[in-house]
Amino acid sequence: MNEKLKDFSLKAKNYKKRIAGCFMLVEPDLLKKRLAGKTYAVTRKIDGLMQLLMYENGKAYAAGSTGMIREDLPCLEEFASILKQKGVKSALVAAELYVPSPDGRPRCYDVNSALGENGDVAKCRLAPFDLLELDGEEVTASHYQEIHRQLSALFGASAHITPVEMRVVNSKEEVMEIFEEWVGVENAEGLVVHSECPIIWKIKPRHTIDAVIVGYSMEEGEVRNLLMAVRDENGMFRIFGKCANGFSDEERKALPENLKPCKSNYIYVDENQLAFRMVEPEVVLEVSVTDLLTENSAGKERKNPLISWDNGIWNPAGIVPGVSVLGIKNERFRPDKCCNQSDIRTTQLSDIAPFATAELPKKLPESTLLDRRVFRKTSGEKVFIQKFLIWASNKADFGYGKYIFYHTDYSSSRKEPLKRDLKIAVTEEQVRRFMERAIAENVKKNYMEVELCA
């Protein structure tokens, strides 16, 4: 690859990162509250693959967020032909690569199929939405509609390359009317709205998903987060998000009574490094999300952990390509649903945001216990036990933490006798510091260390 193409590949990666930082996701109900500005350029959101297109010396290239360069698409040849006829010497354009759909709504997985080994690349179309450079000069504009005018002047008459559809309106009410027409009636994925402000608003409807609770974390006597999972065709449970919103205070306090704790060889921690209490997969919720993402801003694939339910025990089953969710919240409990592959199927996610499938290893490596120390004391009939353990997970290649520290604090006199703490570490030195600090803070006067048998 020559230096020019290397530079282009890097530009494609950086463009995705830069543009992602400009977007604000807005639910339709909050549209009037969140939008700002006087003149709104509203474009139809297309569910395709975002590509940066480079034209130079009569040749066109495309690259996405991963930086991989394509040059063998018929629509790219047409792109180059149009610019050549217009007398353009060089250009840098951002566009959605998509495949038209009979129902009027393109879908990302149709593009992936067309680009696949047995796909038909002739089906692919381009919808330019941004003009970055033209004949070696950076393109700037005070309002997006000026960019769109230039794109329309270049590509307006093309059959397979058409700029994203745009309407310019002057009120939030008119933006909402366009949403109801394009999304509500015509089934578009959503809207993208530009104004005089630097923020770009992405407006999408909420999606609902039936999922089962597999764990929860507590804070100040009530549920803080619920760990949600759907079920793959092979029976594995796919953890895809944590739900903390949409519950009343009464529901948060009552939830633990309806969730049955169980044994688990799988550990999942929240953002505060608190371990979830794993529960039997019985309670199904209908949750809603504003968006599902299959990659991050750098183009790196999102992953989901899989766990298996074996004879009343959760076991880790691997890490696979998947999604992350935005704006997840509880809508209602679903006592009419069960945790089978039909009611809580994974395709609820993949139908919205297709992701790759992956073959799992038949068996993950066993963890290695590196250290275990137990301390005990008694006071009359009261018993106090402090247990500290360190493991090497041996599963770092599958997305798990490399080292695990686990602390159990038992007091027979407490209302809640058993307390647990878990921390993930990246080095053995770090995990041993966790143990030393925990022992110093918890093992006080009159504790005796228990000698363990080999």
Side-chain angles (χ1 to χ4, degrees), residues 40 42 168-179:
Y40 303 103
V42 183
V168 179
V169 295
N170 298 307
S171 70
K172 298 174 185 178
E173 288 76 16
E174 289 173 293
V175 176
M176 195 66 219
E177 289 173 5
I178 296 173
F179 180 88

Side-chain angles (χ1 to χ4, degrees), residues 410-426:
Y410 174 80
S411 171
S412 62
S413 63
R414 267 198 314 253
K415 183 178 180 181
E416 186 181 359
L418 196 61
K419 292 184 177 180
R420 302 178 180 90
D421 184 30
L422 176 144
K423 288 184 172 62
I424 306 296
V426 294

Side-chain angles (χ1 to χ4, degrees), residues 111-124:
V111 187
N112 291 326
S113 296
L115 298 176
E117 186 175 351
N118 299 313
D120 183 3
V121 293
K123 293 180 179 180
C124 293

Side-chain angles (χ1 to χ4, degrees), residues 333-354:
F333 289 88
R334 294 301 303 265
D336 57 318
K337 298 280 187 176
C338 300
C339 66
N340 54 45
Q341 286 100 311
S342 175
D343 284 355
I344 59 166
R345 60 192 180 281
T346 294
T347 53
Q348 295 177 98
L349 306 178
S350 59
D351 284 349
I352 301 168

Side-chain angles (χ1 to χ4, degrees), residues 232-397:
D232 286 7
E233 289 183 359
N234 60 10
M236 298 295 180
F237 289 79
R238 174 186 294 263
I239 296 173
F240 69 93
K242 303 185 291 289
C243 183
N245 299 318
F247 299 96
S248 66
D249 292 341
E250 291 73 19
E251 286 174 327
R252 289 183 184 278
K253 292 176 182 177
L255 263 170
E257 299 175 7
N258 298 313
L259 301 173
K260 299 178 182 177
C262 64
K263 294 182 179 180
S264 178
N265 294 318
Y266 176 75
I267 299 170
Y268 196 98
V269 297
D270 66 12
E271 57 274 13
N272 294 320
Q273 298 298 302
L274 295 174
F276 278 86
R277 305 179 187 190
M278 302 301 286
V279 299
E280 296 183 13
E282 293 183 348
V283 180
V284 175
L285 295 183
E286 179 184 307
V287 298
S288 66
V289 300
T290 53
D291 208 358
L292 297 170
L293 306 177
T294 58
E295 60 179 38
N296 61 19
S297 60
K300 188 174 181 181
E301 191 175 53
R302 302 279 184 172
K303 301 283 189 178
N304 291 148
L306 292 184
I307 54 178
S308 63
W309 179 242
D310 305 316
N311 300 316
I313 302 174
W314 287 116
N315 287 297
I319 299 289
V320 293
V323 300
S324 63
V325 297
L326 297 179
I328 184 171
K329 74 173 184 178
N330 169 54
E331 294 294 339
R332 56 175 173 152
F333 289 88
R334 294 301 303 265
D336 57 318
K337 298 280 187 176
C338 300
C339 66
N340 54 45
Q341 286 100 311
S342 175
D343 284 355
I344 59 166
R345 60 192 180 281
T346 294
T347 53
Q348 295 177 98
L349 306 178
S350 59
D351 284 349
I352 301 168
F355 45 82
T357 57
E359 186 176 345
L360 293 171
K362 292 183 179 179
K363 187 177 181 181
L364 292 177
E366 296 287 339
S367 299
T368 302
L369 181 63
L370 298 181
D371 204 351
R372 181 172 183 258
R373 297 185 68 185
V374 180
F375 299 83
R376 183 177 187 274
K377 78 172 181 177
T378 58
S379 178
E381 296 182 354
K382 299 177 183 178
V383 178
F384 306 88
I385 297 174
Q386 301 281 346
K387 183 165 65 174
F388 308 88
L389 303 101
I390 293 176
W391 283 285
S393 75
N394 301 325
K395 303 177 184 67
D397 291 340

Side-chain angles (χ1 to χ4, degrees), residues 5-66:
L5 290 181
K6 286 182 180 179
D7 181 62
F8 168 59
S9 176
L10 183 61
K11 283 183 178 180
K13 292 180 182 179
N14 291 336
Y15 180 78
K16 177 65 179 288
K17 293 179 183 178
R18 178 170 64 82
I19 199 71
C22 298
F23 278 104
M24 176 182 288
L25 186 62
V26 180
E27 299 175 37
D29 292 346
L30 299 175
L31 188 151
K32 292 183 179 180
K33 185 177 181 180
R34 296 287 176 84
L35 287 187
K38 296 180 179 179
T39 303
Y40 303 103
V42 183
T43 60
R44 185 188 294 260
K45 190 175 188 311
I46 296 176
D47 187 9
L49 296 180
M50 193 188 76
Q51 300 284 294
L52 196 63
L53 312 176
M54 180 179 75
Y55 169 76
E56 193 168 81
N57 299 323
K59 181 72 175 175
Y61 305 88
S65 57
T66 63

Side-chain angles (χ1 to χ4, degrees), residues 55 80-91 134-135 154:
Y55 169 76
S81 176
I82 290 170
L83 292 179
K84 185 176 182 179
Q85 291 174 15
K86 297 281 185 179
V88 175
K89 296 179 181 179
S90 66
L134 193 62
D135 289 334
L154 290 171

